[in-house]
Amino acid sequence: MKVQIEITLQSGETTHISGSKRDDWQGLTNPCPECGSCEFNHFRVTGGHYGKQGSSVIMRTDYWSVEQTLFTRCKSCNEILFKHPAFDLLFDPDGENNAVIEM
């Protein structure tokens, strides 16, 4: 499954970001459908409700927390198994500084 979204940058120019998910791959517990490897480069973000207890900042587990996968690629064959469209926003939209993708 692939998705492409057109966005307008602050400069007024438009660009596209894209996401994809292999329908034949169910997650990190499954091998890569291309080569069978079980080693992946995997990026995720987490968020939640944070508060203060005394002088320490703590994550409040009695409130919501969230984890979202942004990118997963097979370490052996470099097949992209999952890419959230927001992953493109972490780097230059024209792709010149996508250092993470160049692993």
Side-chain angles (χ1 to χ4, degrees):
M1 173 178 67
K2 293 186 184 235
V3 79
Q4 189 164 344
I5 302 166
E6 183 176 279
I7 60 171
T8 303
L9 304 174
Q10 282 183 317
S11 65
E13 297 176 60
T14 60
T15 190
H16 293 88
I17 59 175
S18 63
S20 63
K21 180 185 182 310
R22 295 262 322 221
D23 292 331
D24 57 353
W25 185 69
Q26 301 305 312
L28 296 173
T29 58
N30 290 32
C32 173
E34 287 295 312
C35 71
S37 174
C38 290
E39 298 219 7
F40 309 101
N41 291 324
H42 181 73
F43 297 91
R44 67 177 181 243
V45 293
T46 59
H49 181 96
Y50 290 82
K52 209 169 174 190
Q53 188 172 41
S55 61
S56 300
V57 175
I58 60 166
M59 184 173 160
R60 299 283 305 270
T61 57
D62 54 333
Y63 286 90
W64 65 274
S65 63
V66 66
E67 184 175 291
Q68 173 67 52
T69 297
L70 289 181
F71 184 82
T72 305
R73 182 175 61 196
C74 177
K75 211 162 160 58
S76 295
C77 70
N78 288 328
E79 178 72 14
I80 295 174
L81 303 170
F82 179 85
K83 184 171 124 315
H84 192 284
F87 190 75
D88 287 342
L89 298 175
L90 298 174
F91 305 95
D92 288 345
D94 59 13
E96 290 180 9
N97 290 321
N98 289 348
V100 176
I101 296 174
E102 305 281 333
M103 292 181 285

